[in-house]
Amino acid sequence: MRDEELTTHLTRLGLGERETLLYLALLRTGPIAPADVAARLGLDLDDVEESVDHLVDLGLVSAGGPTPAAVVPIEPSIGIERLAHTRSAELRQAQLAAIDAYRGYRRSVHPQSATDELVEVLTGARIEERIHQAEGAARSEVLRFDSPPYHTGGVANETEEHNLAHGVEYRIVYSKSAVEDNRYYTCNIQPCIAAGEQARVLPTVPVKLTIFDRRQALVSMSFVEADINDSILIVRPSSLLSALIGLFETSWRSAFPLHRHGRVPTTLRPLHRRILELLAGGLTDEAIAELLGISRRTLSRNLEQLNAGAGATTRFQLALYATRKGWL
């Protein structure tokens, strides 16, 4: 690792510039007297001795080298853990201070009741930024009712794919209108399912909703409710948030699975791929046609094409062929 990279890391842990400079010098030279290292670095001896004392306190160096006056680096595990713990505590204090400061600002600008802090209304250009901030901060679980229109433009969700790769669980209930949008399905839904998202579908969702770590919810209007999506509600821990979580769980249990085993067919027409996924979820022809926004006749024609390609005469044979091909 280059010195500049290590300097950055040590600074993040809370070491001052002088302590970092001294520690790097000791790593290069080995045991050395403070007077000698002061001369090498062009520093005042008193400043070096003060920095040495600080590094000793942190558990990164020892003042008992081969000679009584020498300073030597020591195995840093315990010292680094202590620094990391201290830094984490400081960040938590800073977080609480920022929250308190913001609440003070809210009370001074909008002197309303205490319950007003539980729900915040956000409008305009700040919406997309807040959505990205909230999703980027998710650590364990994201629950979502997904329905157009989209504040983020209905593009690929790279943040979700990154979170899934780092152990964040996603459970998404899609509306029919989201699933039948081929562009959105291809650029957003399909890649997220492939990355590990658990996906289900309903003809409609009760509200546009995303819940992050069961600590914060973003709520906005669905396509059914408004053509212009220009505001969201931010709901913090409260009985309302608990009710929204309960609403999601109830809808999740009644929704149809959108996929199996997280694998996505790669060699099919988009419509055929979506028909197979919904068939795998046990949906009836009527339900599949409704979710895809096509007629029963169109569905039957496409099923005939799938059966012909697979040499199948029943749903079971088609499912067996699709499984062997790795489509399901």
Side-chain angles (χ1 to χ4, degrees):
M1 181 181 293
R2 299 193 303 265
D3 281 358
E4 54 268 28
E5 293 176 340
L6 182 55
T7 297
T8 300
H9 294 312
L10 292 174
T11 301
R12 286 173 179 163
L13 285 171
L15 261 66
E17 181 179 353
R18 196 171 61 210
E19 284 80 12
T20 301
L21 183 64
L22 175 59
Y23 186 66
L24 291 176
L26 293 173
L27 290 176
R28 288 193 297 267
T29 64
I32 188 172
D36 293 334
V37 75
R40 283 174 176 264
L41 298 177
L43 298 174
D44 184 81
L45 178 57
D46 291 339
D47 291 338
V48 169
E49 289 178 340
E50 181 181 341
S51 296
V52 167
D53 291 341
H54 189 204
L55 291 172
V56 169
D57 290 340
L58 293 174
L60 296 178
V61 305
S62 170
T67 61
V71 180
V72 61
I74 59 176
E75 209 288 320
S77 295
I78 294 178
I80 292 296
E81 287 181 7
R82 179 182 171 189
L83 275 172
H85 179 75
T86 300
R87 186 64 173 160
S88 295
E90 290 173 350
L91 286 172
R92 178 58 180 164
Q93 289 178 344
Q95 180 187 32
L96 293 174
I99 291 172
D100 288 342
Y102 177 75
R103 287 175 176 170
Y105 156 76
R106 288 275 297 173
R107 284 191 292 269
S108 64
V109 177
H110 304 288
Q112 299 164 341
S113 65
T115 57
D116 185 60
E117 294 184 355
L118 300 178
V119 179
E120 178 184 353
V121 180
L122 201 64
T123 60
R126 295 179 298 163
I127 293 176
E128 184 174 353
E129 178 184 359
R130 183 66 68 89
I131 291 172
H132 289 308
Q133 287 176 344
E135 187 145 16
R139 290 295 173 264
S140 61
E141 181 186 53
V142 176
L143 312 175
R144 178 175 291 142
F145 288 140
D146 187 297
S147 177
Y150 299 104
H151 293 291
T152 57
V155 297
N157 192 340
E158 296 178 356
T159 303
E160 176 178 341
E161 294 180 53
H162 175 271
N163 286 348
L164 285 164
H166 289 79
V168 179
E169 178 184 350
Y170 275 75
R171 287 190 288 147
I172 313 297
V173 177
Y174 291 96
S175 68
K176 166 191 168 184
S177 54
V179 172
E180 68 186 14
D181 182 339
N182 188 59
R183 185 193 65 81
Y184 184 67
Y185 185 91
T186 301
C187 77
N188 187 299
I189 299 176
Q190 187 181 38
C192 289
I193 289 175
E197 172 189 293
Q198 301 176 59
R200 296 187 179 185
V201 62
L202 285 171
T204 61
V205 293
V207 67
K208 283 174 59 68
L209 167 71
T210 305
I211 301 169
F212 300 100
D213 298 329
R214 299 182 180 244
R215 297 179 62 248
Q216 177 179 244
L218 305 185
V219 186
S220 60
M221 291 182 290
S222 69
F223 188 79
V224 174
E225 297 165 317
D227 292 333
I228 300 175
N229 210 12
D230 60 355
S231 65
I232 62 171
L233 298 180
I234 300 173
V235 182
R236 300 184 177 87
S238 59
S239 57
L240 175 57
L241 178 59
S242 298
L244 291 172
I245 293 172
L247 175 63
F248 176 86
E249 295 294 356
T250 300
S251 299
W252 176 261
R253 287 191 293 270
S254 63
F256 299 111
L258 187 57
H259 64 99
R260 288 287 179 89
H261 309 308
R263 286 194 285 181
V264 178
T266 57
T267 59
L268 298 174
R269 289 171 49 195
L271 180 59
H272 286 178
R273 177 169 59 240
R274 288 151 71 180
I275 289 172
L276 278 175
E277 289 171 343
L278 294 172
L279 281 174
L283 276 70
T284 64
D285 287 358
E286 183 178 359
I288 292 173
E290 180 182 0
L291 286 169
L292 295 179
I294 59 178
S295 67
R296 289 285 301 277
R297 179 176 296 181
T298 299
L299 176 62
S300 296
R301 185 171 63 251
N302 281 275
L303 281 172
E304 289 174 2
Q305 292 171 358
L306 283 167
N307 284 325
T313 57
T314 66
R315 283 192 175 202
F316 176 78
Q317 291 174 339
L318 176 60
L320 185 62
Y321 181 87
T323 300
R324 288 174 175 171
K325 285 292 186 179
W327 293 345
L328 297 174

